[in-house]
């Protein structure tokens, strides 16, 4: 397999350093730059939440001071101020819940997933494998390691397993024989030639 394929020269999205991309979706020159970019984006995302929460806290404090003043003066604006305060408090609580949910999702994504372990080694030296199957068998799950019955990809016909060969009766000589491939009809080349000549002779008699 050719592993030298590249996708042209690109500039790293974090440090700007030029590099040769070896995969289609490679946009960073190294894993360190990719990690730095992710941490930078995460910090900016949480900074936006922090700024909005700070502004809301300040507005809540101002409204609380205003309410205290309105209580003392018994102004008619007291009811409207309390209504706005309740709305701002609800918005502040919703933002806090959204931020906590985002942090929980981020933690779940960063948990290291278990590595897929290779299938256990099995001694297949006594199995009737063709070349293709002998290369695939060690990588297959245990339930799929079956004895090979031949492979058409290798350019040959399917052959019967040596453990239980299929037997047929030759229509030319009547002898029972073990087939070597799924389409074998006669036991030998001689019987096949004799049957072919008999068919030609029969066809000639029918034409006469």
């Amino acid at each position: 397999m050719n592993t030298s394929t590249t996708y042209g020269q690109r500039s790293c999205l974090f440090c700007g350093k030029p590099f040769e991309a070896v995969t289609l979706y490679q946009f960073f020159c190294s894993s360190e730059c990719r990690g730095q970019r992710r941490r930078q984006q995460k910090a900016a995302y949480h900074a936006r939440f922090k700024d909005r929460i700070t502004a809301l806290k300040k507005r809540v404090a101002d409204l609380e001071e205003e309410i205290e003043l309105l209580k003392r003066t018994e102004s008619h604006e007291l009811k409207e101020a309390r209504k706005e305060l309740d709305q701002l408090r609800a918005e502040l609580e919703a933002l806090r819940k959204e931020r906590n949910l985002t942090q929980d999702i981020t933690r779940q994504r960063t948990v290291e997933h278990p590595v897929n372990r290779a299938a256990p080694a099995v001694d297949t030296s006594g199995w009737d494998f063709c070349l293709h199957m002998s290369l695939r068998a060690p990588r297959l799950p245990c339930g799929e390691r079956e004895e090979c019955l031949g492979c058409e990809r290798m350019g040959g016909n399917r052959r019967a397993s040596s453990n239980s060969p299929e037997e047929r009766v030759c229509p030319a000589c009547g002898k029972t024989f073990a087939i070597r491939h799924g389409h074998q009809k006669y036991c030998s080349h001689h019987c096949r030639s004799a049957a072919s000549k008999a068919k030609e002779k029969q066809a000639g008699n029918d034409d006469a």
Side-chain angles (χ1 to χ4, degrees), residues 5-10 20-25:
T5 303
T6 60
Y7 292 87
Q9 191 174 37
R10 299 175 180 175
E20 289 289 336
V22 296
T23 61
L24 182 60
Y25 298 103

Side-chain angles (χ1 to χ4, degrees), residues 36-98:
Q36 290 288 349
R37 177 62 179 272
R38 288 180 179 174
R39 287 190 287 273
Q40 187 183 64
Q41 291 178 338
K42 188 186 298 183
Y45 179 77
H46 291 299
R48 290 195 295 270
F49 271 96
K50 185 176 180 181
D51 293 340
R52 293 180 64 184
I53 291 175
T54 302
L56 286 172
K57 285 182 177 179
K58 184 177 183 303
R59 180 58 180 161
V60 168
D62 294 341
L63 284 174
E64 287 177 345
E65 292 180 1
E66 186 176 349
I67 288 174
E68 292 298 326
L69 178 62
L70 291 174
K71 283 181 179 179
R72 289 192 297 268
T73 59
E74 296 182 356
S75 171
H76 65 279
E77 298 178 354
L78 177 61
K79 185 176 180 180
E80 293 296 329
R82 283 180 174 174
K83 183 178 179 180
E84 184 180 358
L85 176 61
D86 292 338
Q87 291 177 349
L88 288 174
R89 283 176 175 171
E91 185 178 353
L92 176 62
E93 185 65 23
L95 281 174
R96 285 174 175 171
K97 289 181 179 180
E98 184 179 353

Side-chain angles (χ1 to χ4, degrees), residues 6-18:
T6 60
Y7 292 87
Q9 191 174 37
R10 299 175 180 175
S11 297
C12 180
L13 295 182
F14 181 75
C15 65
K17 180 181 177 181

Side-chain angles (χ1 to χ4, degrees), residues 157-160 166 168 179-185:
N157 297 322
R158 295 183 65 85
R159 56 186 174 83
E166 183 181 350
R168 292 181 183 176
I179 64 172
R180 294 187 297 274
H181 54 79
H183 301 289
Q184 185 176 358
K185 187 175 181 181

Side-chain angles (χ1 to χ4, degrees), residues 128 147-149 159-165:
D128 186 20
E147 294 199 14
C148 182
L149 299 178
R159 56 186 174 83
S161 174
S162 59
N163 296 330
S164 57

Side-chain angles (χ1 to χ4, degrees), residues 123-206:
D123 183 15
T124 60
S125 58
W127 291 17
D128 186 20
F129 280 150
C130 65
L131 177 60
H132 178 74
M133 194 63 180
S134 64
L135 296 175
R136 289 187 65 233
R139 299 177 176 84
L140 292 176
C142 184
E144 297 184 14
R145 292 193 183 105
E146 300 176 353
E147 294 199 14
C148 182
L149 299 178
C151 183
E152 295 177 355
R153 297 182 186 176
M154 302 305 296
N157 297 322
R158 295 183 65 85
R159 56 186 174 83
S161 174
S162 59
N163 296 330
S164 57
E166 183 181 350
E167 293 184 349
R168 292 181 183 176
V169 177
C170 179
C173 65
K175 291 168 52 177
T176 302
F177 66 98
I179 64 172
R180 294 187 297 274
H181 54 79
H183 301 289
Q184 185 176 358
K185 187 175 181 181
Y186 300 96
C187 64
S188 64
H189 178 71
H190 175 75
C191 286
R192 185 170 63 251
S193 300
S196 178
K197 291 178 181 179
K199 288 181 180 180
E200 291 177 358
K201 184 177 180 180
Q202 183 66 31
N205 294 336
D206 292 342

